[in-house]
């Protein structure tokens, strides 16, 4: 293809993208003269350039569109949806003709007269109506005759006199054919589009350029020219070749650095440090040439949304934020289609019809917001809408009818788990199949494509308020940081973007490998993660044993290296034999013979020269489908809750003596040390101006007076808008230990004494001091009359109350499991876990306490377990409703003594009945 023709195609396609976006803006704001001028200029340039190139079809369509734009600009024609739609149709036609031109290197024969007639009809000020007149057979229009006479070249049609500063195409053709020098042409003619070749027509006589042309070289034009000279158009192939060379340089640098590490006081240290610095700078520079603003992937979206508005009869406002956020061109190309699909989904499924929005108290115009920003080594893209949110009930029914889960399993799913089913293949909630949606394909492909480039996608939805999709993708895929690991004597590279952390598990550490239903799991910070052994996934013989399953398992000691990895929302651990250093690796495509092995994403060369495979965590997760399909989203949460350690973090301090005191760390909002001069006295108590409000200060038993000089340590406790400060002498330590009160105390403000960190420690009853600070915080009363039981379940959505009530109940001898909502409680029931008593809050988001009690009583598994309700409401009507739905007792939340008495009485009754 001729180089000039190639440049023409590139620039014209760029102009068409701009016109597409600008037309949507202009339609919304017809009075925006600068936008209209820009559109007119671009269309005029396309038309003129096509005339010079002898492209009659392109020129004719562009000219007809230019006529309408000219009428808009002159005020002779009112802007209408009909006119803009027709211009957009003409732009689409020009794009098709451009594609044919690129494929065939010549303009193909064809007839666009119907579209041109419609454009001219609109330009004449008439509404578009179906064209019913059909020329008689053999009849030839005047324009067809002219086309034939010009032998494929259309003369420019000028409907008005030239404005000052404009040049006719005849003058430009004459100047072109006279072939002046490059400098002369640049100084004389401010041509913005490339002039490629003369049209096939009679050679005109050379004519001098009119002086008015030179006068048109205004400062603004010169500025544009100078700015354009600061950039150079470079082909993508050249950049890719340059990237390959830099990649080889990085590999060589790594090899040299590896050699130097093996030698002490080498003469090559300083030169290699300089080489390392220069290589890094060169690598970053070349990477920048590959970076493009994400807005390039957004250019078509305004047009798509505009068309969807008319197709769906909706009003949509597309807001795009962060269009200048840059990422690698390769990544940019891979996310264009997922972004387009998600925007269409938001418009079709997310946003309601205007009348429904008004009925719901919303503005008739729905908002789709696209936001992109950098975060670490990733780009975060959020697609949000203010629509109705996902129809979770419909998704749930589709999941059940599709056989993905049983009805009982579906009932135990949380809202988040139900929402994530939209990423499953074949799932669609559309009531009918349309050109936009309803075929059951789309979101699963979106997730698959995003995960293939090391990204993740997540959804959060609020019924009636809308949904937010969050995409997290790496900045680049060419050169990445990787962790080098070993399995069965072979080394592999694992991209660090997928690695959450590295854990060494053993029987003697808090991180250990256990078995759950014959499957290995890692206990990590009170959670259980499923594990896979890399040697098993790769079906490699373990060099520590004979290779059979029994010996291999025996050879695996309890001292293991676990790479905690995340793919999408699925987190799991990969067990490896050894872990080495991290390296900047160059990603090379996998060999054709290995392309069907999904656990590999490519290969690379290490610093020591050996070639190793790059692992694909997504492929590893897929190869362990039984783990992922069965435990995705849950990640063994229920098992973690049930089997978690009894140890909790305790804050140890001293006050009123040498004996240490402790309080659960989870209750403490902040540790402060304040100047004693800031303490004030009001109404017989000590107070402090703290973060915009008065905070009462209280003292533990025996603490005589708060300090008057120096600095005073405080433990700050916060619940909602209420804040209290507990005065102490010093903070000693934070210790993780089991809270087991062995000696109970009758002293107000103390629960009793426990062995914490091997030292006898008094456990402080924080609720006592909360009442001192605010007398209406609780109705103070506590008597420990609870009988020891095997297990109690506490259901409360407030972290503060869970953290406060759990030690209180545990101090009375109960083993306590806490969950934050009713759905999580029922999930434990479905796992077959048994409790001796259930304590449930009433006011909870989602399923409330009354509904939970109803669900429990309907099922034999927990049907006979005592259920004690705790609530801030204590009216007779509340008590009556609690009895109706199956609560054994109903206790006001602030009355801790009543709660403990109720537990003791009802558990004893339950035990005797059992």
């Amino acid at each position: 293809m001729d180089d000039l023709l190639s440049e023409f195609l590139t620039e014209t396609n760029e102009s068409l993208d701009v016109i597409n976006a600008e037309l949507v803006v202009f339609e919304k704001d017809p009075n925006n003269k600068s936008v209209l001028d820009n559109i007119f200029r671009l269309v005029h340039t396309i038309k003129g350039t096509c005339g010079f190139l002898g492209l009659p079809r392109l020129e004719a369509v562009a000219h007809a569109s230019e006529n309408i734009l000219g009428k808009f600009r002159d005020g002779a024609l009112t802007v209408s949806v009909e006119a803009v739609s027709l211009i957009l149709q003409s732009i689409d036609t020009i794009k098709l003709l451009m594609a044919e031109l690129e494929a065939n290197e010549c303009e193909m024969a064809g007839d666009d007269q119907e579209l041109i007639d419609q454009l001219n009809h609109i330009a004449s000020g008439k509404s578009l109506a179906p064209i019913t007149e059909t020329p008689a057979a053999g009849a030839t229009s005047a324009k067809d005759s002219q086309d034939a006479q010009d032998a494929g070249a259309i003369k420019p049609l000028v409907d008005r006199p030239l404005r000052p500063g404009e040049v006719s195409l005849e003058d430009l053709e004459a100047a072109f054919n006279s072939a002046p020098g490059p400098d002369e042409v640049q100084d004389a003619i401010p041509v913005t589009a490339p002039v490629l070749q003369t049209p096939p027509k009679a050679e005109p006589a050379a004519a001098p350029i009119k002086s008015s042309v030179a006068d048109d070289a205004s400062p603004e034009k010169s500025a544009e020219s100078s700015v354009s000279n600061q950039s150079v158009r470079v082909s993508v192939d050249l950049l890719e070749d340059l990237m390959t060379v830099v990649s080889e340089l990085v590999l060589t640098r790594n090899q040299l650095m590896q050699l130097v590490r093996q030698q002490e006081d080498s003469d090559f240290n300083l030169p290699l440090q300089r080489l390392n610095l220069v290589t890094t700078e060169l690598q970053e520079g070349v990477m920048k040439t590959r970076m493009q603003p994400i807005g390039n992937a957004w250019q078509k979206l305004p047009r798509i949304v505009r068309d969807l508005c008319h197709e769906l009869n909706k009003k949509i406002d597309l807001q795009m934020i962060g269009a200048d956020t840059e990422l690698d061109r390769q990544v940019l190309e891979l996310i264009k289609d997922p972004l387009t699909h998600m925007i269409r989904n938001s418009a079709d499924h997310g946003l309601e019809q205007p009348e429904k929005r008004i009925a719901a108290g919303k503005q008739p115009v729905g908002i789709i917001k696209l936001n992109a920003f950098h975060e670490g080594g990733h780009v975060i893209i959020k697609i949000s809408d203010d629509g109705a949110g996902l129809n979770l009930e419909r998704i749930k029914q589709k999941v059940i009818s599709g056989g993905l889960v049983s009805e009982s399993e579906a009932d135990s799913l949380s809202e988040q788990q139900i929402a994530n089913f939209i990423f499953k293949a074949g799932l669609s909630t559309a009531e009918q199949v349309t050109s936009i949606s309803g075929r059951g394909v789309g979101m699963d492909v979106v997730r698959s494509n995003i995960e293939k480039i090391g990204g993740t996608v997540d959804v959060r939805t609020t019924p009636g308020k809308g949904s937010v999709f969050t995409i997290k993708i790496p900045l680049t895929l060419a050169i990445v940081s990787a962790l080098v690991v070993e399995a069965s004597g072979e080394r592999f590279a694992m991209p660090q973007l997928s690695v959450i952390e590295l854990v060494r598990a053993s029987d003697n550490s808090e991180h250990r490998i256990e078995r759950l239903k014959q499957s290995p799991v890692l206990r990590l910070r009170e959670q259980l993660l499923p594990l896979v052994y890399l040697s098993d996934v790769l079906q490699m013989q373990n060099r520590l044993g004979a290779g059979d399953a029994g010996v291999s398992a025996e050879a695996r000691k309890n001292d293991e290296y676990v790479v905690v990895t995340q793919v999408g929302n699925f987190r799991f651990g990969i067990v490896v034999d050894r872990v080495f250093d991290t390296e900047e690796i160059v990603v090379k495509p996998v060999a054709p013979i290995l392309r069907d092995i999904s656990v590999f994403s490519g290969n690379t060369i290490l610093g020591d020269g050996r070639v190793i495979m790059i692992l694909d965590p997504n492929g590893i997760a897929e190869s362990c489908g039984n783990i992922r399909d069965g435990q995705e989203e849950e990640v063994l949460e229920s098992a973690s809750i049930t089997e978690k350690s009894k140890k909790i973090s305790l804050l140890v301090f001293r006050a009123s003596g040498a004996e240490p005191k402790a309080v659960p760390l989870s209750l403490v909002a902040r540790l402060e040390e304040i100047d004693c001069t800031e303490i004030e006295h009001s109404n017989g108590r000590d107070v402090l101006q703290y973060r915009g409000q008065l905070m009462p200060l209280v003292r533990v038993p025996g603490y005589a007076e708060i300090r008057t000089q120096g600095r005073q340590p405080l433990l700050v406790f916060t619940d909602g808008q209420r804040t209290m400060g507990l005065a102490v002498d010093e903070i000693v330590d934070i210790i993780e230990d089991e809270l087991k009160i062995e000696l109970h105390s009758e002293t107000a403000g103390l629960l009793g004494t426990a062995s914490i960190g091997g030292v006898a420690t008094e456990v402080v009853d924080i609720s006592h001091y909360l009442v001192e600070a605010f007398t209406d915080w609780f109705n103070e009363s506590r008597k420990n009359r609870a009988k020891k039981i095997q297990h109690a379940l506490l259901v409360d959505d407030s972290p503060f109350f869970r953290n406060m009530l759990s030690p209180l109940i545990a101090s009375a001898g109960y083993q306590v499991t806490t969950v934050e909502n009713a759905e999580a409680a029922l999930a434990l029931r479905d796992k077959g876990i048994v409790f001796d008593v259930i304590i449930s809050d009433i006011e909870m988001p989602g399923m409330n306490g009354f509904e939970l009690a109803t669900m429990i009583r309907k099922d034999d598994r927990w049907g006979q377990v005592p259920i004690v309700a705790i609530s801030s409401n204590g009216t007779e009507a509340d008590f009556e409703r609690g009895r109706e739905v199956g609560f054994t007792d109903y206790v006001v939340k602030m009355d801790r003594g009543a709660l403990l008495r109720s537990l003791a009485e009802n558990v004893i009754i339950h035990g005797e009945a059992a």
Side-chain angles (χ1 to χ4, degrees), residues 477-497:
L477 302 178
I479 299 178
V480 299
S481 181
L483 179 69
V484 180
V485 300
E486 183 179 88
S488 298
E490 297 291 338
R491 295 189 183 185
F492 302 91
M494 184 174 295
Q496 270 195 304
L497 290 173

Short mmCIF file of all heavy atoms in Angstrom, two decimals, residues 477-497:
data_model
loop_
_atom_site.label_atom_id
_atom_site.label_comp_id
_atom_site.label_asym_id
_atom_site.label_seq_id
_atom_site.Cartn_x
_atom_site.Cartn_y
_atom_site.Cartn_z
N LEU A 477 1.80 -6.01 30.27
CA LEU A 477 2.00 -7.46 30.26
C LEU A 477 3.35 -7.86 29.68
O LEU A 477 3.69 -9.03 29.65
CB LEU A 477 0.90 -8.13 29.42
CG LEU A 477 -0.54 -7.87 29.84
CD1 LEU A 477 -1.49 -8.56 28.87
CD2 LEU A 477 -0.79 -8.36 31.24
N ALA A 478 4.14 -6.87 29.22
CA ALA A 478 5.37 -7.20 28.50
C ALA A 478 6.49 -7.60 29.44
O ALA A 478 7.12 -8.64 29.27
CB ALA A 478 5.78 -6.00 27.64
N ILE A 479 6.80 -6.75 30.41
CA ILE A 479 7.84 -7.03 31.40
C ILE A 479 7.19 -6.94 32.77
O ILE A 479 6.66 -5.89 33.14
CB ILE A 479 9.02 -6.05 31.28
CG1 ILE A 479 9.68 -6.16 29.89
CG2 ILE A 479 10.04 -6.29 32.37
CD1 ILE A 479 10.81 -5.19 29.67
N VAL A 480 7.23 -8.02 33.52
CA VAL A 480 6.54 -8.05 34.81
C VAL A 480 7.48 -8.58 35.88
O VAL A 480 8.48 -9.25 35.60
CB VAL A 480 5.27 -8.93 34.75
CG1 VAL A 480 4.29 -8.40 33.75
CG2 VAL A 480 5.64 -10.38 34.42
N SER A 481 7.16 -8.27 37.11
CA SER A 481 7.89 -8.81 38.25
C SER A 481 7.31 -10.17 38.60
O SER A 481 6.09 -10.34 38.62
CB SER A 481 7.79 -7.85 39.43
OG SER A 481 8.52 -8.34 40.53
N ALA A 482 8.18 -11.13 38.85
CA ALA A 482 7.71 -12.49 39.10
C ALA A 482 8.46 -13.10 40.27
O ALA A 482 9.62 -12.76 40.56
CB ALA A 482 7.89 -13.36 37.86
N LEU A 483 7.78 -14.01 40.97
CA LEU A 483 8.37 -14.78 42.05
C LEU A 483 8.82 -16.13 41.48
O LEU A 483 8.03 -16.83 40.84
CB LEU A 483 7.33 -14.98 43.15
CG LEU A 483 7.75 -15.80 44.37
CD1 LEU A 483 8.78 -15.04 45.19
CD2 LEU A 483 6.54 -16.13 45.24
N VAL A 484 10.07 -16.48 41.70
CA VAL A 484 10.61 -17.74 41.18
C VAL A 484 10.46 -18.81 42.26
O VAL A 484 10.92 -18.62 43.40
CB VAL A 484 12.08 -17.59 40.77
CG1 VAL A 484 12.62 -18.91 40.23
CG2 VAL A 484 12.23 -16.49 39.73
N VAL A 485 9.79 -19.91 41.90
CA VAL A 485 9.54 -21.00 42.85
C VAL A 485 10.02 -22.30 42.23
O VAL A 485 10.34 -22.37 41.04
CB VAL A 485 8.05 -21.10 43.22
CG1 VAL A 485 7.57 -19.82 43.86
CG2 VAL A 485 7.20 -21.42 41.98
N GLU A 486 10.05 -23.35 43.07
CA GLU A 486 10.51 -24.66 42.59
C GLU A 486 9.55 -25.74 43.05
O GLU A 486 9.02 -25.70 44.18
CB GLU A 486 11.91 -24.95 43.13
CG GLU A 486 12.49 -26.26 42.61
CD GLU A 486 13.89 -26.51 43.15
OE1 GLU A 486 14.01 -27.10 44.24
OE2 GLU A 486 14.86 -26.09 42.49
N ALA A 487 9.30 -26.69 42.17
CA ALA A 487 8.49 -27.87 42.49
C ALA A 487 9.10 -29.07 41.79
O ALA A 487 9.36 -29.01 40.58
CB ALA A 487 7.04 -27.68 42.06
N SER A 488 9.35 -30.12 42.54
CA SER A 488 9.92 -31.35 42.00
C SER A 488 11.21 -31.08 41.22
O SER A 488 11.45 -31.67 40.17
CB SER A 488 8.91 -32.07 41.12
OG SER A 488 7.77 -32.44 41.88
N GLY A 489 12.02 -30.17 41.73
CA GLY A 489 13.31 -29.92 41.11
C GLY A 489 13.30 -28.98 39.92
O GLY A 489 14.34 -28.65 39.38
N GLU A 490 12.12 -28.52 39.49
CA GLU A 490 12.01 -27.61 38.36
C GLU A 490 11.58 -26.23 38.84
O GLU A 490 10.74 -26.12 39.74
CB GLU A 490 11.00 -28.14 37.34
CG GLU A 490 11.36 -29.46 36.70
CD GLU A 490 12.57 -29.34 35.77
OE1 GLU A 490 12.83 -28.20 35.31
OE2 GLU A 490 13.22 -30.37 35.51
N ARG A 491 12.14 -25.19 38.22
CA ARG A 491 11.79 -23.82 38.61
C ARG A 491 10.72 -23.24 37.69
O ARG A 491 10.66 -23.56 36.50
CB ARG A 491 13.03 -22.93 38.58
CG ARG A 491 14.08 -23.32 39.61
CD ARG A 491 15.19 -22.30 39.72
NE ARG A 491 16.22 -22.74 40.65
CZ ARG A 491 17.26 -22.00 41.03
NH1 ARG A 491 17.41 -20.77 40.54
NH2 ARG A 491 18.14 -22.48 41.88
N PHE A 492 9.90 -22.37 38.28
CA PHE A 492 8.82 -21.72 37.55
C PHE A 492 8.73 -20.27 38.02
O PHE A 492 9.16 -19.93 39.13
CB PHE A 492 7.48 -22.44 37.79
CG PHE A 492 7.49 -23.89 37.41
CD1 PHE A 492 7.83 -24.87 38.34
CD2 PHE A 492 7.17 -24.28 36.12
CE1 PHE A 492 7.84 -26.20 38.00
CE2 PHE A 492 7.19 -25.62 35.77
CZ PHE A 492 7.53 -26.59 36.70
N ALA A 493 8.16 -19.44 37.18
CA ALA A 493 7.93 -18.03 37.53
C ALA A 493 6.44 -17.80 37.72
O ALA A 493 5.63 -18.29 36.93
CB ALA A 493 8.47 -17.10 36.44
N MET A 494 6.10 -17.05 38.76
CA MET A 494 4.71 -16.73 39.04
C MET A 494 4.56 -15.21 39.12
O MET A 494 5.22 -14.56 39.93
CB MET A 494 4.27 -17.36 40.35
CG MET A 494 2.80 -17.18 40.67
SD MET A 494 2.31 -18.09 42.15
CE MET A 494 2.58 -19.78 41.59
N PRO A 495 3.72 -14.59 38.25
CA PRO A 495 3.56 -13.13 38.26
C PRO A 495 3.17 -12.63 39.64
O PRO A 495 2.23 -13.13 40.26
CB PRO A 495 2.44 -12.88 37.23
CG PRO A 495 2.49 -14.08 36.34
CD PRO A 495 2.90 -15.22 37.21
N GLN A 496 3.90 -11.61 40.12
CA GLN A 496 3.65 -11.11 41.47
C GLN A 496 2.29 -10.42 41.61
O GLN A 496 1.78 -10.28 42.71
CB GLN A 496 4.76 -10.14 41.88
CG GLN A 496 5.93 -10.84 42.56
CD GLN A 496 6.83 -9.87 43.27
OE1 GLN A 496 7.34 -8.94 42.66
NE2 GLN A 496 7.04 -10.08 44.55
N LEU A 497 1.73 -9.99 40.48
CA LEU A 497 0.43 -9.33 40.56
C LEU A 497 -0.65 -10.25 41.10
O LEU A 497 -1.64 -9.81 41.66
CB LEU A 497 0.01 -8.80 39.18
CG LEU A 497 0.82 -7.62 38.63
CD1 LEU A 497 0.41 -7.33 37.20
CD2 LEU A 497 0.61 -6.40 39.51
#
